[in-house]
Amino acid sequence: MATYSFIDVNCSIVGPGVAITLGNDAGSAEEGISIEMEADKNNMTIGADGSGMHSLHAGNAGTVTVRLLKTSPQNALLMAAYNAQRISSSLWGKNVITLVQSNADDAIVCASCAFTRQPNLEYATDGGTNTWTFQSTKVTGFLGEYS
């Protein structure tokens, strides 16, 4: 029987002024990390006579969302990187986020990542989470098999 655990998720971000882990042992929130493609890979067009055509889109852009507990030390490191990178366009969009889920042999690489914005900050009775969002021009990788 196959088993999944966030313990097996290793994720890192490397770029100007930053090289840190974001997966297991980074103070990740329950919602963890998500990777979403920006657009569909296909568009189907149906002609007036009912015939169809598929259009394969070349884009591989996507969004990476990392959710950390309010108390995670990675928040301070990400904020420092955000503040440093936003000073110059020569530093912007140069991050690489790599995620590996070793138990399933999943491996995803998100290149040319830029911070979307600093996280919304909430101060309430409970600590909550900080959500960091990155846009990537190229998301590639594969999903392995559970055995």
Side-chain angles (χ1 to χ4, degrees):
M1 176 188 288
T3 304
Y4 168 84
S5 175
F6 194 77
I7 292 170
D8 300 320
V9 175
N10 296 303
C11 184
S12 64
I13 181 171
V14 176
V18 65
I20 61 172
T21 61
L22 298 173
N24 186 46
D25 288 332
S28 297
E30 265 187 15
E31 300 83 4
I33 301 165
S34 58
I35 300 170
E36 181 179 346
M37 298 308 289
E38 195 68 30
D40 292 338
K41 186 53 83 179
N42 183 69
N43 186 50
M44 184 174 67
T45 304
I46 302 298
D49 66 353
S51 60
M53 172 182 70
H54 290 280
S55 296
L56 174 63
H57 299 183
N60 288 313
T63 301
V64 180
T65 305
V66 177
R67 297 162 195 91
L68 299 172
L69 296 175
K70 188 71 143 174
T71 56
S72 171
Q74 307 314 63
N75 288 308
L77 298 172
L78 287 171
M79 192 64 163
Y82 169 80
N83 286 329
Q85 291 177 15
R86 69 187 179 105
I87 291 171
S88 171
S89 62
S90 68
L91 302 174
W92 197 252
K94 305 232 188 281
N95 298 300
V96 176
I97 297 174
T98 305
L99 186 140
V100 175
Q101 200 268 323
S102 58
N103 190 37
D105 293 328
D106 294 354
I108 310 295
V109 177
C110 305
S112 299
C113 293
F115 288 89
T116 303
R117 67 176 64 88
Q118 74 179 44
N120 294 333
L121 302 174
E122 297 178 18
Y123 298 90
T125 301
D126 291 327
T129 61
N130 287 342
T131 301
W132 294 90
T133 307
F134 303 87
Q135 292 177 325
S136 169
T137 62
K138 188 172 183 181
V139 177
T140 58
F142 62 90
L143 301 179
E145 294 183 32
Y146 283 91
S147 49

